Amino acid sequence: MDENGSLYVVDDRKHEVRRYRRGESQGIVVAGGNGSGNRLDQLSNPQYVFVDRDHSVYVSDSGNHRVMKWVEGAKQGIVVAGGQREGNGLTQLSHPEGVVVDQLGTVYVADKWNHRIMRWPKGVTKGSVIVGGNGGGGQSNQFNEPIGLSFDRHSNLYVVEYRNHRVQNINVNS
């Protein structure tokens, strides 16, 4: 939800994100909506959405191994993380899921099948691994399919793991 109370819903079957304002039953497409594909006006199996203060919509475009940013009113998105085919390089993602963006515009991504959390500062083409990336597992330096991310009001990052059935608090400033 945004600060106006609008609800944003990811529809992975229609490959779109819709915004519903209070009282609306249909909503409007704010990202994707042009069928499944890898063009800048398409999504493929979108999973998570994050809305910033400017109402830009960030979508984890899992099938395209990228995170897209759709500025309010845009007809196509901008790749802000990944988008260089599936892989484990610093320009690549593998089925990204959770996505959050801090006040500086830094994008944090739960890189599910690479078992890592990546950080992409605004405007860069290469991300950095902030934790994980050591294979799937249950050790303190490992994740097993991270899927959800959230910051609390003190800028602590929380990571939800699918296979380990746990939530971890990560210090992103180290």
Side-chain angles (χ1 to χ4, degrees), residues 35-142:
S36 178
N38 64 0
R39 295 189 322 240
L40 294 178
D41 67 344
Q42 294 178 305
L43 298 169
S44 177
N45 197 26
Q47 294 297 305
Y48 284 74
V49 63
F50 180 89
V51 182
D52 70 12
R53 290 181 178 178
D54 297 326
H55 302 120
S56 291
V57 175
Y58 294 79
V59 183
S60 58
D61 188 11
S62 184
N64 287 318
H65 314 290
R66 65 188 183 186
V67 175
M68 300 285 292
K69 175 183 178 180
W70 296 66
V71 176
E72 187 173 25
K75 299 297 181 201
Q76 64 182 26
I78 303 161
V79 178
V80 294
Q84 301 296 315
R85 298 178 318 277
E86 181 179 13
N88 63 2
L90 295 179
T91 62
Q92 297 174 305
L93 297 168
S94 182
H95 298 277
E97 296 255 346
V99 59
V100 293
V101 182
D102 69 16
Q103 293 179 359
L104 299 174
T106 301
V107 177
Y108 294 83
V109 182
D111 191 8
K112 182 180 178 182
W113 286 6
N114 283 324
H115 311 288
R116 64 188 183 182
I117 306 304
M118 293 195 68
R119 174 173 36 209
W120 300 71
K122 188 175 184 174
V124 304
T125 57
K126 185 185 293 186
S128 61
V129 178
I130 57 172
V131 67
N134 301 303
Q139 301 301 317
S140 61
N141 68 342
Q142 292 180 308

Side-chain angles (χ1 to χ4, degrees), residues 7-11 14-21 24 26-35 41-43 46 57 59 70-76:
L7 177 65
Y8 295 76
V9 178
V10 174
D11 187 332
K14 291 185 179 178
H15 311 285
E16 66 185 25
V17 177
R18 286 187 171 268
R19 180 186 67 218
Y20 295 86
R21 291 196 168 120
E24 287 182 344
Q26 295 298 315
I28 64 164
V29 175
V30 294
N34 294 299
D41 67 344
Q42 294 178 305
L43 298 169
V57 175
V59 183
W70 296 66
V71 176
E72 187 173 25
K75 299 297 181 201
Q76 64 182 26

